[in-house]
Amino acid sequence: MIHMVKLCVGVSTVEELESYRDQRAHWWGADYGEDVHVHRTRMMPKRGAEMEGQGSIYWVMSGSICCRQPILRLAPYTDAEGKDYCDIIMSPDIVRTVPYPKRPFQGWRYLRVEDAPPDLEAGANENSAEIAAELARMGLI
């Protein structure tokens, strides 16, 4: 199993991501007829079989990995101009993680299971995330 890490461009908080996740699929005409969150990216992952139904996409916001969404499957998409894309079809559930600093990068990267930040406990709030982020920066978690 492998995960994916990607910048959540134009989104600075988990709450902002939650506020529009249901609309996103319709922006590209990628309506899969079910309650999913869809993100379109340029390249199909070569290790996609290791992600589908097993891995998650870890979102980087404001310089930190903040949350993840389970990847249900990957679907090829070709636009009217013949360009190929990959639709990442995810669970609409957004799971907060211990914030881990992550420098900017383009596209997406693979994230090994052992390098993925742990989930925050259920019921954790904004203060819990800030405290966890500070502990992570100090190397204590």
Side-chain angles (χ1 to χ4, degrees), residues 56-67:
S56 290
I57 185 167
Y58 283 77
W59 291 111
V60 177
M61 299 173 204
S62 302
S64 293
I65 296 174
C66 300
C67 63

Side-chain angles (χ1 to χ4, degrees), residues 32-49:
Y32 286 90
E34 55 192 295
D35 187 21
V36 294
H37 182 181
V38 178
H39 179 77
R40 183 165 290 158
T41 189
R42 186 71 175 99
M43 302 302 291
M44 178 68 77
K46 290 181 179 18
R47 298 177 69 180

Side-chain angles (χ1 to χ4, degrees), residues 6 8 11 14 22 31 49-50 69 82 91 100 120-121 124 128 136:
K6 181 149 182 35
C8 200
V11 176
V14 176
D22 298 330
D31 189 354
E50 295 177 64
Q69 286 181 273
S91 166
Y100 271 35
L120 281 177
E121 294 181 21
S128 302

